[in-house]
Amino acid sequence: MLNFGRARTQQRPARSSPFGGLDYPDPKRKGNFVGKILLAAALTALCIIMLKHSPTFNTPSPFARHEEGVIHVLVTGGAGYIGSHTSLRLLKDSYRVTIVDNLSRGNIGAVKVLQELYPEPGRLQFIYADLGDAAVVNKIFSENSFDAVMHFAAVAYVGESTLDPLKYYHNITSNTLVVLEAMAKHGVGTLIYSSTCATYGEPEKMPITEVTPQVPINPYGKAKKMAEDIILDFSKNSDMAVMILRYFNVIGSDPEGRLGEAPKPELREHGRISGACFDAARGIIPGLKVKGTDYNTADGTCVRDYIDVNDLVDAHVKALEKAKPKKVGIYNVGTGHGRSVKEFVEACKKATGSNIKVKYEPRRPGDYAEVYSDPTKIKRELNWTAKYTDLQESLEIAWRWQKAHRGGYAASS
């Protein structure tokens, strides 16, 4: 018979669970354990009460509230070439900026440059998102208080648009509709729309004015015109202030060397002629391909109006400043002078100091012979005039950035 009253001569060792190394709780310590839980709960509740009474606990993000004297601009495609340069100017001019970009064409490196230049809270935020996702776009608008939208985000290569037209109609036309719907739903009152001279197609008369008939001849121009039509139809029964800027061939870069143009390597064949010239000067490609020498122009090559990106940015800022509710402004943004591709190549050779090899090939589908603007209207109504009109100088500035960033934003030398 067991003797339950026998006294222990040695202290009983604590038993351990064979499962996970957990100790069995001692029943004698149960009260102490519960007390600790109650104490922890009380302290947690006290902390929550103190935090709720803190003046910063319920303070929303600066981007989520309207602030007197501060204009908050959403820049779609702000990681891209034109969008990043525009964001830089807006930040310099004390605007609050939110960049939305899916980085399919833009560069996170450009965003990082802007963040380093303007690290102060409430100045700049970047949101990675695709404008084709309406639910995501609506969420962005619901969580931020925008005063205006500058809509740059778009695929923008004429040649590529002829090869993959559905991409262009979806990315340009459909996505613009998504943005416009979100603006209307959340009461954002100003839209600055980035359009293109490609909406005019190949006009019978030069220079192009804002009333020149729009007869685009490639999917890029058609998609942009469709987006314009949507905006204009909506504006007829809306209080929204709308500015549509149709600009020409963009060149150049930030004069201080902070930003530049860095297209994805796989898109080089579709890119701007300036990028191709620089690639040839750096030896990335063996030479420059000039497509089309039988156009009805002075030297047989296409004639274009080359607008410096800094002038283009200035036009966007002036459009934002002049935008008025229930009003629509449509403006061509160009120098008013056409330069042939051969002229451009010669200027690029001088700017880079390189004897670029040139190979002449047949015309590229969707191209047009001669396009240059009449900037009279934008000068009269927005007091804007192109200042960076020296083609070689603009190319020299862009070339300096290219030489210093041989790997684009990913590397510099």
Side-chain angles (χ1 to χ4, degrees):
M1 183 175 180
L2 295 176
N3 183 3
F4 290 99
R6 184 180 59 186
R8 293 185 182 273
T9 57
Q10 294 181 351
Q11 186 176 359
R12 184 177 180 177
R15 295 181 181 179
S16 298
S17 167
F19 303 106
L22 297 175
D23 290 339
Y24 284 116
D26 190 332
K28 295 180 180 179
R29 298 182 180 179
K30 183 176 180 179
N32 187 38
F33 179 72
V34 172
K36 288 181 178 179
I37 291 178
L38 293 174
L39 179 60
L43 289 173
T44 301
L46 180 61
C47 288
I48 292 173
I49 292 171
M50 291 176 66
L51 282 171
K52 283 187 174 181
H53 283 83
S54 169
T56 61
F57 182 76
N58 291 314
T59 302
S61 161
F63 299 94
R65 67 177 188 270
H66 291 288
E67 187 174 331
E68 186 176 354
V70 178
I71 299 175
H72 185 184
V73 183
L74 167 61
V75 182
T76 71
Y81 171 42
I82 300 170
S84 62
H85 280 77
T86 304
S87 296
L88 176 60
R89 169 65 183 275
L90 291 171
L91 289 164
K92 181 181 177 182
D93 289 356
S94 299
Y95 288 87
R96 176 173 290 157
V97 175
T98 292
I99 291 174
V100 171
D101 204 302
N102 68 358
L103 302 179
S104 62
R105 299 292 165 95
N107 291 277
I108 192 62
V111 176
K112 290 179 179 178
V113 168
L114 296 173
Q115 289 173 330
E116 290 171 359
L117 290 170
Y118 297 92
E120 304 88 357
R123 295 303 312 281
L124 170 67
Q125 70 170 336
F126 171 72
I127 300 174
Y128 175 83
D130 192 318
L131 298 180
D133 190 328
V136 169
V137 173
N138 187 66
K139 186 173 185 290
I140 291 170
F141 274 79
S142 67
E143 294 177 350
N144 293 275
S145 295
F146 301 123
D147 298 296
V149 174
M150 285 190 175
H151 184 32
F152 293 99
V155 285
Y157 296 132
V158 168
E160 184 189 37
S161 77
T162 64
L163 299 174
D164 193 355
L166 296 184
K167 174 189 287 187
Y168 276 67
Y169 293 122
H170 174 80
N171 182 275
I172 294 173
T173 310
S174 178
N175 287 6
T176 298
L177 178 58
V178 171
V179 171
L180 191 60
E181 287 176 333
M183 290 181 67
K185 181 177 180 179
H186 296 278
V188 181
T190 302
L191 172 63
I192 314 298
Y193 183 63
S194 167
S195 193
T196 171
C197 64
T199 62
Y200 293 113
E202 194 167 15
E204 295 179 0
K205 296 181 179 180
M206 287 290 137
I208 294 173
T209 69
E210 287 78 3
V211 297
T212 296
Q214 289 177 288
V215 189
I217 62 174
N218 54 60
Y220 171 56
K222 292 176 183 178
K224 281 287 189 180
K225 184 180 183 302
M226 288 180 187
E228 281 192 20
D229 289 342
I230 292 170
I231 294 168
L232 293 174
D233 285 343
F234 170 77
S235 68
K236 292 175 183 177
N237 298 300
S238 168
D239 293 336
M240 189 177 293
V242 173
M243 292 291 205
I244 295 173
L245 302 186
R246 298 171 184 158
Y247 42 88
F248 291 67
N249 292 61
V250 189
I251 59 172
S253 64
D254 170 42
E256 296 184 40
R258 296 165 294 187
L259 298 171
E261 183 178 12
K264 308 290 185 182
E266 65 271 18
L267 296 170
R268 279 196 169 102
E269 63 178 297
H270 299 298
R272 306 176 203 277
I273 185 174
S274 56
C277 280
F278 295 149
D279 284 347
R282 290 163 53 186
I284 294 175
I285 57 176
L288 184 65
K289 296 177 181 180
V290 174
K291 299 181 184 295
T293 59
D294 59 346
Y295 288 100
N296 186 25
T297 60
D299 61 21
T301 61
C302 294
V303 170
R304 296 288 182 267
D305 189 341
Y306 295 100
I307 177 75
D308 191 283
V309 68
N310 297 285
D311 282 328
L312 182 57
V313 166
D314 189 53
H316 279 81
V317 173
K318 281 186 166 59
L320 179 59
E321 293 171 348
K322 298 285 186 177
K324 296 180 180 179
K326 300 183 180 181
K327 299 292 184 181
V328 176
I330 299 176
Y331 302 98
N332 290 335
V333 187
T335 65
H337 303 285
R339 307 290 290 273
S340 75
V341 171
K342 283 186 177 179
E343 287 181 283
F344 187 96
V345 172
E346 289 305 310
C348 195
K349 286 181 178 180
K350 293 177 181 177
T352 62
S354 175
N355 186 24
I356 299 169
K357 295 181 180 180
V358 181
K359 181 180 180 182
Y360 296 98
E361 296 185 346
R363 296 185 184 188
R364 182 175 62 177
D367 265 342
Y368 24 80
E370 189 176 33
V371 172
Y372 60 94
S373 71
D374 178 353
T376 300
K377 183 182 179 185
I378 192 170
K379 180 179 180 180
R380 181 179 68 249
E381 296 186 9
L382 301 188
N383 193 30
W384 177 91
T385 303
K387 299 175 181 178
Y388 298 85
T389 56
D390 187 317
L391 180 60
Q392 184 177 326
E393 182 180 357
S394 290
L395 291 172
E396 287 173 352
I397 292 171
W399 175 239
R400 285 201 296 269
W401 189 89
Q402 293 290 327
K403 285 194 300 181
H405 300 80
R406 296 185 179 275
Y409 284 100
S412 60
S413 62

